[in-house]
């Protein structure tokens, strides 16, 4: 492998390479054991580093800057394991020392400091990837896949004519991960929706939210609606998490009659819009947060959605702020929600969330379920 790499170099550089003991040592190391992808990458980077170093030492026109060695170190941090990266850094150090001996101006204090900082960052990156068991940028790809999976869990199922839903989620600080998620299920006759808020922000809350979304999504529709929150509570009790807490609101809607049941576990109360009176009514459903007590007792509320009515679920990021009362936050939310009615629930939901979250640094989520005139029961 090493000989095939060398043959693509200029003849002058090849002649010098054949006389370098370091290259001989590399060749012997490659011959030991199985030639894996790791060794091929190491060999390619090592030869490239040596070629850059030799070209720099004999270059009088500045066409081969020694700073290119930094790219070698970065490449090693992305592609090599810690042990191979340390060996590559040894090659880079030897080349840098050789260039400094030939001409100190090519490797000055600034370049040495740059290489040192880059080497530390590369070692940190390689160690993290090795702990995860991934290579290259696969770790970032995994995070993107997890983020997309969490978003897919929040997609609402297809509903019959006369029913509409809207889900809006905004993460704090523009992050791709957050602690709010939605799970839902529908068999055509009923709709079940759970809005869950995992305490915390960013990746830490996002990873826990991803795990819980899979578990809660599996429970939703698999257990009786009245047993959903207790089953979630039992699951969290087994996790024995020391940090944070989890709140949730669970809604079951009969898509034929419009009757619904709301259960809450420490979550901000749901609100219903009554098209007949034009008023928003706060739900009385209540319960303790999930995972705190072994036996979860929730006080549900029942109601009915008629044509034009809507049900609004949201997380505390929309209504809570330090030093402010929760009721005041809910009143402000309902005041802003008045604009949803003339604009239409589907088009005004995102604007509502963006307006309410503008002064807060917290994850925000909103779920709207409403009934149109097409769903009128005769």
């Amino acid at each position: 492998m090493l000989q095939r790499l060398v043959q693509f170099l200029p003849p002058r550089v090849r002649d010098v390479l054949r006389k370098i003991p370091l290259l001989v040592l590399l060749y012997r190391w490659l011959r030991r054991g199985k030639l894996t992808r790791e060794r091929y990458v190491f060999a390619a980077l090592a030869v490239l580093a040596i070629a850059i170093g030799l070209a720099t030492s004999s270059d009088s026109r500045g066409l081969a800057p020694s700073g290119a060695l930094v790219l070698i170190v970065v490449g090693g941090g992305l592609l090599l394991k810690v042990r191979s990266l340390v060996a590559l850094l040894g090659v880079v150090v030897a080349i840098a020392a050789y260039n400094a001996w030939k001409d100190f101006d090519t490797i000055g204090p600034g370049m040495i400091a740059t290489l040192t900082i880059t080497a530390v960052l590369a070692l940190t990156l390689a160690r993290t990837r090795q702990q995860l068991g991934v290579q290259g940028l696969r770790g970032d790809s995994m995070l993107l896949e997890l983020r997309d999976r969490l978003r897919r869990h929040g997609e609402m199922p297809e509903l019959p004519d006369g029913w509409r839903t809207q889900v809006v989620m905004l993460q704090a600080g523009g992050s791709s991960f957050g602690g709010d998620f939605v799970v839902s299920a529908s068999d055509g006759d009923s709709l079940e929706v759970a809005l869950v808020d995992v305490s915390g922000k960013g990746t830490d809350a996002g990873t826990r939210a991803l795990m819980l979304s899979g578990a809660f999504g599996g429970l939703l529709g698999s257990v009786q609606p009245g047993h959903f929150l207790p089953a979630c509570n039992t699951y969290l009790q087994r996790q024995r998490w020391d940090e944070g807490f989890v709140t949730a609101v669970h809604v079951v809607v009969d898509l034929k009659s419009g009757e619904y049941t709301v259960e809450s576990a420490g979550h901000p109360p749901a609100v219903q819009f009554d098209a007949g009176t034009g008023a928003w009514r706060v739900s009385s459903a209540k319960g303790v947060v999930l995972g705190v007590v072994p036996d979860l007792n929730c006080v549900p509320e029942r109601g009915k959605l008629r044509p034009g009515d809507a049900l609004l679920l949201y997380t505390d990021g929309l209504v809570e702020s330090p030093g402010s009362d929760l009721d005041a936050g809910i009143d402000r939310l309902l005041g802003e929600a008045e604009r949803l009615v003339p604009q239409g629930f589907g088009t005004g939901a995102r604007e509502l969330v963006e307006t309410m979250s503008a002064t807060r640094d917290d994850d925000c989520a909103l779920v709207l379920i409403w009934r149109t005139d097409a769903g009128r029961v005769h």
Side-chain angles (χ1 to χ4, degrees), residues 6-84:
V6 171
Q7 71 180 3
F8 291 104
L9 299 175
R12 181 181 176 184
V13 177
R14 289 205 304 267
D15 293 338
V16 177
L17 287 176
R18 293 193 183 99
K19 302 176 183 179
I20 297 179
L22 180 60
L23 196 64
V24 177
L25 292 176
L26 290 174
Y27 179 74
R28 291 176 179 175
W29 179 77
L30 288 170
R31 291 297 301 272
R32 290 184 300 175
K34 185 179 179 180
L35 288 178
T36 61
R37 174 184 175 275
E38 175 89 0
R39 293 192 169 203
Y40 281 130
V41 173
F42 170 79
L45 292 175
V47 170
L48 188 57
I50 294 173
I52 291 174
L54 293 176
T56 301
S57 64
S58 60
D59 180 32
S60 60
R61 294 180 295 175
L63 299 178
S66 57
L69 291 174
V70 174
L71 300 178
I72 301 296
V73 176
V74 172
L78 290 172
L79 302 174
L80 297 178
K81 296 180 180 178
V82 175
R83 185 176 179 180
S84 299

Side-chain angles (χ1 to χ4, degrees), residues 226-289:
H227 297 160
F228 172 72
L229 287 181
C232 295
N233 184 69
T234 302
Y235 177 82
L236 282 172
Q237 284 277 308
R238 293 199 303 265
Q239 303 310 307
R240 300 183 182 277
W241 283 350
D242 295 328
E243 72 281 2
F245 55 89
V246 178
T247 67
V249 59
H250 175 229
V251 177
V252 183
V253 181
D254 188 318
L255 299 177
K256 293 183 178 179
S257 65
E259 296 179 349
Y260 69 85
T261 301
V262 178
E263 288 185 312
S264 175
H267 205 83
V271 292
Q272 178 192 349
F273 174 73
D274 189 333
T277 62
W280 293 87
R281 183 178 59 84
V282 179
S283 170
S284 61
K286 59 183 178 180
V288 299
V289 299

Side-chain angles (χ1 to χ4, degrees), residues 160-164 306-309 345 370-377:
D161 291 340
W163 291 95
R164 298 289 184 271
R306 296 176 175 82
D309 291 356
F345 294 114
W370 72 96
R371 193 173 183 183
T372 66
D373 290 339
R376 186 179 299 276
V377 179

Side-chain angles (χ1 to χ4, degrees), residues 24 42 70-72 77 89 100 115 137 149 159 188-189 191 194 217-218 223 285 299 301 316 320 348 364 375 378:
V24 177
F42 170 79
V70 174
L71 300 178
I72 301 296
L89 292 178
L115 284 173
L137 299 176
R149 183 172 299 180
L159 298 181
D189 295 328
L191 169 68
V223 299
V299 179
E301 184 197 50
D316 58 7
E320 285 188 351
C364 299
H378 298 284

Side-chain angles (χ1 to χ4, degrees), residues 330-361:
I330 295 176
D331 289 340
R332 180 171 175 246
L333 173 66
L334 297 183
E336 294 289 341
E338 292 291 339
R339 295 185 300 172
L340 287 174
V341 181
Q343 293 183 15
F345 294 114
T347 58
R350 176 164 289 277
E351 182 183 350
L352 172 63
V353 175
E354 292 175 347
T355 301
M356 292 297 298
S357 63
T359 59
R360 295 177 174 87
D361 184 24

Side-chain angles (χ1 to χ4, degrees), residues 64-232:
S66 57
L69 291 174
V70 174
L71 300 178
I72 301 296
V73 176
V74 172
L78 290 172
L79 302 174
L80 297 178
K81 296 180 180 178
V82 175
R83 185 176 179 180
S84 299
L85 177 59
V86 170
L88 178 64
L89 292 178
V91 175
V92 172
V93 169
I95 292 299
Y98 173 76
N99 284 344
W101 174 71
K102 292 282 291 183
D103 185 358
F104 184 76
D105 292 336
T106 60
I107 302 290
M111 180 53 61
I112 294 175
T114 301
L115 284 173
T116 302
I117 295 173
T118 307
V120 172
L121 295 177
L123 283 170
T124 302
L125 177 61
R127 187 178 296 109
T128 302
R129 289 189 301 98
Q130 188 166 313
Q131 291 174 347
L132 293 174
V134 297
Q135 296 295 323
L137 299 176
R138 179 56 183 164
D140 295 334
S141 300
M142 290 173 60
L143 285 176
L144 292 175
E145 291 173 4
L146 295 178
R147 179 203 64 186
D148 294 340
R149 183 172 299 180
L150 189 59
R151 289 178 177 176
R152 286 195 296 270
H153 283 173
E155 295 178 356
M156 302 292 282
E158 292 289 337
L159 298 181
D161 291 340
W163 291 95
R164 298 289 184 271
T165 60
Q166 179 79 17
V167 177
V168 181
M169 306 185 73
L170 294 178
Q171 280 73 43
S175 172
S176 297
F177 295 89
D180 300 342
F181 67 89
V182 178
V183 290
S184 58
S186 176
D187 59 4
D189 295 328
S190 65
L191 169 68
E192 279 192 72
V193 179
L195 176 59
V196 184
D197 183 1
V198 179
S199 63
K201 294 180 290 185
T203 305
D204 292 338
T207 52
R208 286 186 291 153
L210 178 68
M211 182 183 73
L212 291 182
S213 67
F216 288 9
L219 291 172
L220 196 73
S222 300
V223 299
Q224 291 296 321
H227 297 160
F228 172 72
L229 287 181
C232 295

